[in-house]
């Protein structure tokens, strides 16, 4: 398919979009901000017969709290996330992750739905969504299902989405006042770089250095995001002393499953996963103590 | 082919083009606005940066069909000789350009950044704001200085006249 032959349909409402998805006989693909889609089209990897342009579906661009959940529309941009006071207060780790996506231009155009849709093991918002217990709302013309983010990905670039479905919402659990999170990323340079390793951490603090458990999710060190459950189980074993933090970091070294690719070797990734977690935990504790 | 409407630098254009053509190519080829440059063609260097509805975006990875109905500002729209913007004057004054290939994109990014603040930015703030713009010549020191100079020009313009 030549780029010049690819068509485009821009639905004016979600229902028009879902109707099109269910009826189209053409090879179609959604395009939101296009920061992944246009690049892959140019590289010759993604050449649908028709782009379904959802960028301007305003009804899917929102951040709101209702019924004990924070609801985020898939067309919410990374810049929207950075500017949201609600998310700064109740989903700090997601705000930190959005800040690490590309640079200003990518944050302005790129959407959270697109970050999830690309399903890259290096997608920065995904580990943050893991530790916030995200549910993905998937809709087709006649169905709607809510799927825990852990079950959404089936491999690099692959999700459970069917041809006639799309992401219509992301639900996260708001953090309580004693919950704090952090996102740490190592890339080849500071701005505009794909993660070599990243980690999202969310801790439930009690008092002093004591914590009541938490969640840890690594990106870019496995075929999908890795919830470090062994590390997590150590979090509540006692006060988070230097010794305990170093032990947790050692466990992380074994728990990640990285490969060697053009960006880094597997061994380097293990070392860095361990170091990022250790540094992240120290930083979180310092923030908690200085809050 | 598809007919799209673009408001570019204040003027409305109706253009017939393949919808998956890049906005950058439309600006350069269909509208003759050649300030925006293609360097990497994949969102990494920022030399094609334009404002879409006031926000900086890389026009090389925005599809024409997606820009339909949107408002675009290019470097030409920031200012043209002899009516240059403070940011452009500051680039000249500080010598913040060499080959010039990155300059229009940086001017647009800097303009969007300065529009959103009303103080003289610190170096780190400027580095974050311009993180998506690469320059292969200058080493950035003068670019950063030029942004600060423009910010102080803007703020002295805004200050009430005394006396
Ligand atoms: C220079 C550059 C730097 C980058 N740096 C980073 C980085 O540091 N970290 C990072 O994580 N990413 C990075 N990216 C990737 C990209 O910017 C992000 O993944 C972004 O969030 C994608 O969003 P989008 O709206 O542009 O997606 P699009 O490109 O529009 O779409 C991406 C995919 O998601 C699908 N999709 C979009 N919306 C939906 C929906 N509602 N339902 C179902 N499927 C949907 C599309 O069909 C497509 O398959 C970078 C990209 C570039 C070009
Ligand atoms: S040419 Fe568009 S970002 Fe490099
Ligand atoms: S002046 Fe040459 S690339 Fe910046």
């Amino acid at each position: 398919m030549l780029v010049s032959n690819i068509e485009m349909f821009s639905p004016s409402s979600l229902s028009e979009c879902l109707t099109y998805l269910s009826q189209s006989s053409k090879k179609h693909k959604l395009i939101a901000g296009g920061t992944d889609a246009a690049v892959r089209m140019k590289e010759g990897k993604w050449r649908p017969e028709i782009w379904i342009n959802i960028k301007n579906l305003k009804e899917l661009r929102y951040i709101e709290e209702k019924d004990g959940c924070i609801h985020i529309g898939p067309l919410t941009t990374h810049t929207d996330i950075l500017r949201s006071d609600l998310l700064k207060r109740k989903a700090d780790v997601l705000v930190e992750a959005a800040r690490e996506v590309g640079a200003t231009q990518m944050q302005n155009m790129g959407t959270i739905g697109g970050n999830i849709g690309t399903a890259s093991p290096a997608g920065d918002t995904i580990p943050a969504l893991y530790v916030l217990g995200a549910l993905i709302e998937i809709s087709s013309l006649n169905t709607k299902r809510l799927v825990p983010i852990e079950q959404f990905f089936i491999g690099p670039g692959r999700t459970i989405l069917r041809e006639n479905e799309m992401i219509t919402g992301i639900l996260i659990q708001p953090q309580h006042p004693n919950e704090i999170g952090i996102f740490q990323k190592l890339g080849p340079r500071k701005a505009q770089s794909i993660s070599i390793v990243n980690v999202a951490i969310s801790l439930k603090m009690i008092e002093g250095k004591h914590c009541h458990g938490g969640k840890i999710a690594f990106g870019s060190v496995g075929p999908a995001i890795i919830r470090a459950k062994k590390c997590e189980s150590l979090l509540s074993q006692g006060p988070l002393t230097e010794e305990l933090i170093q032990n947790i970091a050692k466990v992380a070294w074994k728990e990640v499953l990285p490969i060697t690719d053009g960006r880094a070797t597997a061994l380097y990734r293990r070392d860095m996963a361990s170091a990022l977690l250790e540094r992240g935990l120290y930083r979180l504790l310092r923030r908690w103590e200085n809050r | 082919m598809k007919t799209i409407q673009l408001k570019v630098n204040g003027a409305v254009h109706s253009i017939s083009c393949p919808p998956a053509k890049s906005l950058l190519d439309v600006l350069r080829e269909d509208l003759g606005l050649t300030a925006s440059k293609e360097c990497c063609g994949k969102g990494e260097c920022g030399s094609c940066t334009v404002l879409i509805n006031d926000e900086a975006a890389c026009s090389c990875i925005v599809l024409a069909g997606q820009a339909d109905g949107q408002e675009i500002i290019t470097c030409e729209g920031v200012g043209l000789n002899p009516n240059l913007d403070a940011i452009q004057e500051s680039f000249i004054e500080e010598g913040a350009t060499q080959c010039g290939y990155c300059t229009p994109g940086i001017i647009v990014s800097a303009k969007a950044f300065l529009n959103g603040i009303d103080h003289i930015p610190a170096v780190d703030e400027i580095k974050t704001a311009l993180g998506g713009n690469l320059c292969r010549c200058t080493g950035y020191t003068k670019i950063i200085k030029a942004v600060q100079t423009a910010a102080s020009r803007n703020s002295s313009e805004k200050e009430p006249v005394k006396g």
Side-chain angles (χ1 to χ4, degrees):
Chain A
M1 190 61 150
L2 287 173
V3 169
S4 54
N5 290 335
I6 303 178
E7 297 170 54
M8 186 177 290
F9 170 62
S10 303
S12 54
S13 69
L14 175 59
S15 65
E16 196 185 357
C17 184
L18 293 174
T19 306
Y20 188 91
L21 285 175
S22 73
Q23 291 168 357
S24 156
S25 55
K26 289 184 182 149
K27 210 179 117 205
H28 59 73
K29 198 164 177 63
L30 294 169
I31 182 166
T35 59
D36 280 316
V39 172
R40 285 175 171 70
M41 177 191 76
K42 285 184 155 191
E43 290 170 342
K45 290 181 191 148
W46 292 358
R47 293 282 170 93
E49 288 175 79
I50 184 161
W51 286 117
I52 304 176
N53 167 31
I54 56 173
K55 176 69 183 167
N56 299 315
L57 284 185
K58 298 223 164 51
E59 62 194 293
L60 292 182
R61 187 172 177 182
Y62 55 83
I63 302 169
E64 61 196 19
E65 189 170 15
K66 63 173 190 235
D67 311 325
C69 266
I70 297 176
H71 299 245
I72 304 175
L75 283 161
T76 302
T77 64
H78 301 294
T79 299
D80 294 338
I81 293 175
L82 287 179
R83 290 180 184 159
S84 160
D85 288 326
L86 173 64
L87 295 180
K88 278 182 212 158
R89 275 185 289 118
K90 297 188 174 176
D92 54 8
V93 53
L94 180 61
V95 176
E96 290 197 0
R99 185 171 292 125
E100 292 296 329
V101 174
T104 313
Q105 292 95 326
M106 297 308 124
Q107 292 167 0
N108 287 343
M109 287 302 282
T111 64
I112 187 164
N115 203 229
I116 300 169
T118 296
S120 160
D124 283 323
T125 65
I126 304 171
L129 292 172
Y130 265 64
V131 303
L132 293 168
L135 297 171
I136 311 295
E137 183 190 88
I138 302 172
S139 304
S140 72
L141 188 57
N142 301 312
T143 62
K144 190 175 270 193
R145 48 187 180 135
L146 268 183
V147 178
I149 193 160
E150 274 92 345
Q151 292 164 24
F152 184 78
F153 302 103
I154 47 180
R158 293 175 58 227
T159 73
I160 60 168
L161 280 180
R162 303 187 188 109
E163 285 285 286
N164 63 343
E165 288 180 323
M166 64 185 280
I167 302 167
T168 47
I170 297 127
L171 277 71
I172 55 175
Q173 300 304 315
Q175 291 170 313
H176 295 286
N178 68 328
E179 282 175 89
I180 48 169
I182 195 166
F183 181 78
Q184 300 280 292
K185 164 171 172 174
L186 175 77
R189 75 179 183 100
K190 222 171 157 190
Q192 200 83 303
S193 63
I194 295 173
S195 285
I196 292 172
V197 187
N198 63 34
V199 62
I201 312 169
S202 175
L203 298 182
K204 273 198 180 88
M205 300 305 296
I206 312 172
E207 246 186 41
K209 287 186 180 352
H210 283 273
C211 118
H212 199 72
K215 290 184 184 169
I216 299 170
F218 282 102
S220 217
V221 284
I225 303 303
I226 292 185
R227 265 286 293 281
K229 298 224 164 133
K230 286 184 192 141
C231 295
E232 288 176 9
S233 70
L234 295 174
L235 288 170
S236 49
Q237 299 243 314
L240 287 172
T241 56
E242 227 176 285
E243 196 190 345
L244 181 56
I245 289 179
Q246 281 166 6
N247 274 337
I248 296 173
K250 274 187 202 135
V251 172
W253 195 94
K254 293 188 200 136
E255 210 172 4
V256 295
L257 290 166
I259 55 161
T260 296
D261 65 9
R263 271 173 283 147
T265 64
L267 185 62
Y268 180 68
R269 280 198 162 96
R270 273 190 202 279
D271 289 346
M272 289 305 113
S274 175
L276 282 189
L277 178 59
E278 184 174 338
R279 190 173 78 186
L281 287 170
Y282 286 134
R283 287 186 177 167
L284 260 184
L285 277 185
R286 210 175 316 133
R287 272 189 215 171
W288 175 246
E289 283 162 3
N290 298 334
R291 74 192 179 284
Chain B
M1 293 299 242
K2 200 178 167 100
T3 303
I4 59 165
Q5 308 278 338
L6 290 182
K7 190 170 178 188
V8 185
N9 303 332
V12 178
H13 301 270
S14 182
I15 299 143
S16 177
C17 68
K21 182 172 181 173
S22 75
L23 172 62
L24 176 64
D25 287 347
V26 171
L27 293 171
R28 292 180 57 87
E29 295 168 2
D30 298 72
L31 298 177
L33 294 167
T34 52
S36 315
K37 305 278 185 275
E38 174 154 288
C39 224
C40 67
K42 50 185 186 176
E44 283 172 10
C45 74
S47 69
C48 63
T49 304
V50 300
L51 301 186
I52 303 181
N53 305 327
D54 297 327
E55 306 230 42
C58 293
S59 61
C60 69
I61 53 169
V62 175
L63 306 190
Q66 294 199 285
D68 190 11
Q70 314 299 314
E71 204 172 325
I72 319 289
I73 305 279
T74 67
C75 187
E76 288 98 336
V78 175
L80 279 178
N81 230 351
N83 298 311
L84 295 181
D85 186 83
I87 182 71
Q88 293 163 317
E89 298 280 9
S90 307
F91 262 65
I92 297 169
E93 194 177 304
E94 301 295 346
T97 179
Q98 284 183 28
C99 80
Y101 216 79
C102 69
T103 310
I106 297 189
I107 298 269
V108 171
S109 284
K111 180 71 184 163
F113 170 58
L114 292 172
N115 281 347
I117 60 170
D118 51 12
H119 60 274
I120 299 183
V123 172
D124 277 351
E125 265 180 282
I126 300 174
K127 283 188 177 171
T128 304
L130 298 184
N133 291 82
L134 296 182
C135 173
R136 289 149 195 80
C137 306
T138 69
Y140 302 103
T141 312
K142 292 182 172 182
I143 293 174
I144 290 166
K145 186 81 209 320
V147 175
Q148 285 179 323
T149 305
S152 47
R153 279 177 189 235
N154 288 345
S155 69
S156 63
E157 271 168 29
K158 273 182 218 148
E159 254 167 41
V161 187
K162 288 189 189 107

